[in-house]
Structure formats: C-alpha cells, structure tokens
Amino acid sequence: MNALETVALSRRRRRVWALRDCDLAVPEGAVTALVGANGAGKTTLLHVAVGLLAPTDGEILVFGRPSGRRGADLARVAFVAQEKPLFGSFTVAEMLRFANATNPGFDLAAARARIAEADIDPRRRAARLSGGQRTLVALALALGKRAGLLLLDEPLAELDPLARLQVRGALMAAVAETGATVVLSSHDLAELAETCDHLVLLDRGRVRLAGEVEALRDRHRVITGPGEAAADVRELADVVHQSGTERQTTALIRTHLPDLPLGERPGIEEIVLGYLRRPEAP
C-alpha cells in the first residue's frame, strides 16, 4: 500500500495554480525527500495532505483513503509545520500533557523520553526555547501520536549545524523504532541524500521526477567531453541538461538501458539540479 498518493491533484488560489495535475505515490515505510525551488508547491501539497487546504481538482489518498477536509482518519498522520507553532506560554511539560489529552493513543512516556534525550528542561516555556529545541519538541509531539505517516515541512531550516545533526539523528532513530513513513521537505539536498530513500521533485506545481533514489541514480549518467559528446548519445538517452562550450561540455543524461557504459552515476543533487535547470518537463 502507498502511504500517500495523489491523482491529478490540483490546487488553485485565485488565478495561480500552486499544484497542477500532480500524480505521485509514496510507498509505505519510505523516507521521502520532497524537493523543489521556492514556490514549487511543496508546502501546499503537505497542507492538502493534512486537510488544511482543500484540493481544487483531483484526489489525495492517505493509506488508501481520501484525505482532505472530510476524508481520511488524520489520527494516522502527524505534521510539523515549517514555523513549528507551539504555545509560547506553555511549558514543555504542559504541551506534552495537552497533546496527550487531545490525541487518542498518544505515547506520553515516549514523548517525555525524547525530550529527556534532547536534554530539554520540561519546565522551560516554549517562548524561551532555541530554534533547535523548538524543532525537537515539535518532533517529539508529532512522533508521540504514533502516526503511520509523518509530514515535515522544512524541519531543518534556520538551524545551526549541530542542531541540524541532533534533529536529524532524533528523526532517524524514531523512524527506525516506529517504521513510520516520512515525507521530508527541504532545500538541503546533501543532507537529504544521506537520509532519504525516495524522491519527489516538484517544479512550478507539477511532479517533475519521482522514484526510489538508487533507481533514479541508475537511470542517469553524467558525461563530460567534447561538445558533441551529448549529441552522440541522443539515440540511447535523453539529455536532461547540458552546459559548457563546444570544446568541453558536461551533460546529465537519462537512459532506460541497464548498465549503460557511459559516464558516471550522478548524486541526487546533480539529478535534481539538472531537472530544475531544464526549461521544459520531460
């Protein structure tokens, strides 16, 4: 079963399409990187998935059931917004008790343990937490729901390197423990490559590329050589993006041939940047 699936999903605000005919599938148990430039539709997609926004057209399914304002059981979904909204006047302990009272099945003991592991004083008020501490508290609250699907909108944004490492470690440890499906929106492609096994690339409201990370790397190559090098492989592959001069060029190519004896397997960052630089969708 797919944990999250969309079929021709569209969302329009006035005359602007934030999402347009999006088809994607996130396998259950995957850790999925949701990437794209600013304004690509990442936050809109997550907001539609949790019912904060209604789709204009199409359908979104969570564990096979329609989601949205009147759809699936959202108890199976946990969401951490980019702003990590917490009640500033609440202490951490009060927020945990509030979450326990308002979410059936909330694992209060596990949430408290995560706060203790992060060395956060439960008596501290949310308004006095650092950015990294706010993220760790929001993550503990989300994971406490024991949800099957965890949606995270830019959880590492504006964190210092040490805090990013701490948050990422806490997330992956929790995922290993619970087996939850994760969709993680971020601009940091290098960190995502170390964390995620699935990729969804949004570009101007459309799904540009999606699939298992290693399979995507297998289907692409980076070749470097004379300017005509990319032209020579057009019968075997699609040139996603090419840059350089006639004397020296670098091209990202996509092929459906297994074990194409050309170039090198690209990293996920090279693949994403290649598609974002391509003027038209493939």
Side-chain angles (χ1 to χ4, degrees):
M1 178 185 295
N2 292 318
L4 180 67
E5 185 174 355
T6 69
V7 181
L9 182 69
S10 299
R11 164 73 187 185
R12 184 176 63 188
R13 183 182 179 187
R14 297 177 183 171
R15 297 183 179 181
V16 178
W17 289 95
L19 297 171
R20 193 69 183 267
D21 295 326
C22 290
D23 294 311
L24 64 88
V26 175
E28 190 170 359
V31 179
T32 297
L34 178 62
V35 301
N38 289 332
K42 303 185 298 296
T43 295
T44 299
L45 175 62
L46 297 179
H47 282 187
V48 172
V50 295
L52 294 175
L53 294 173
T56 303
D57 294 301
E59 188 175 33
I60 186 164
L61 306 173
V62 175
F63 294 109
R65 296 180 58 190
S67 185
R69 294 179 185 269
R70 299 176 299 171
D73 180 7
L74 293 180
R76 300 190 68 184
V77 183
F79 177 52
V80 177
Q82 184 173 351
E83 300 80 9
K84 289 87 178 176
L86 302 173
F87 295 110
S89 62
F90 279 30
T91 66
V92 173
E94 288 170 339
M95 284 187 289
L96 293 179
R97 289 198 296 270
F98 179 77
N100 184 54
T102 55
N103 291 279
F106 188 83
D107 193 337
L108 182 59
R112 284 173 170 166
R114 291 189 176 97
I115 295 298
E117 289 170 4
D119 197 25
I120 297 174
D121 186 348
R123 298 168 298 180
R124 196 172 183 88
R125 297 196 181 278
R128 299 178 63 88
L129 297 174
S130 68
Q133 288 174 329
R134 288 177 64 85
T135 301
L136 286 166
V137 170
L139 189 59
L141 292 169
L143 291 168
K145 287 186 68 176
R146 308 293 291 187
L149 176 62
L150 181 61
L151 305 176
L152 307 174
D153 193 4
E154 295 284 355
L156 305 178
E158 300 179 356
L159 300 184
D160 62 63
L162 183 59
R164 295 169 77 91
L165 184 64
Q166 188 179 19
V167 170
R168 193 176 67 181
L171 172 62
M172 298 317 297
V175 169
E177 174 190 340
T178 64
T181 303
V182 178
V183 178
L184 171 63
S185 165
S186 179
H187 289 292
D188 195 323
L189 298 177
E191 285 190 327
L192 291 177
E194 298 178 12
T195 304
C196 300
D197 52 33
H198 201 81
L199 175 77
V200 174
L201 170 60
L202 286 180
D203 184 26
R204 288 167 286 187
R206 299 179 184 272
V207 176
R208 196 78 174 268
L209 188 69
E212 195 268 329
V213 167
E214 289 304 311
L216 290 175
R217 293 187 65 201
D218 286 340
R219 296 206 305 268
H220 292 82
R221 292 291 186 273
V222 173
I223 59 173
T224 301
E228 64 271 12
D232 292 341
V233 300
R234 289 187 185 275
E235 293 185 1
L236 302 175
D238 173 34
V239 178
V240 176
H241 181 261
Q242 182 176 355
S243 62
T245 65
E246 291 185 2
R247 298 187 61 182
Q248 186 75 8
T249 187
T250 299
L252 174 69
I253 63 173
R254 182 182 64 183
T255 177
H256 298 291
L257 298 177
D259 303 319
L260 183 70
L262 286 173
E264 299 179 354
R265 289 175 83 232
I268 197 63
E269 185 171 5
E270 291 175 289
I271 294 174
V272 169
L273 291 176
Y275 278 88
L276 289 179
R277 288 167 177 159
R278 183 174 179 160
E280 298 294 335

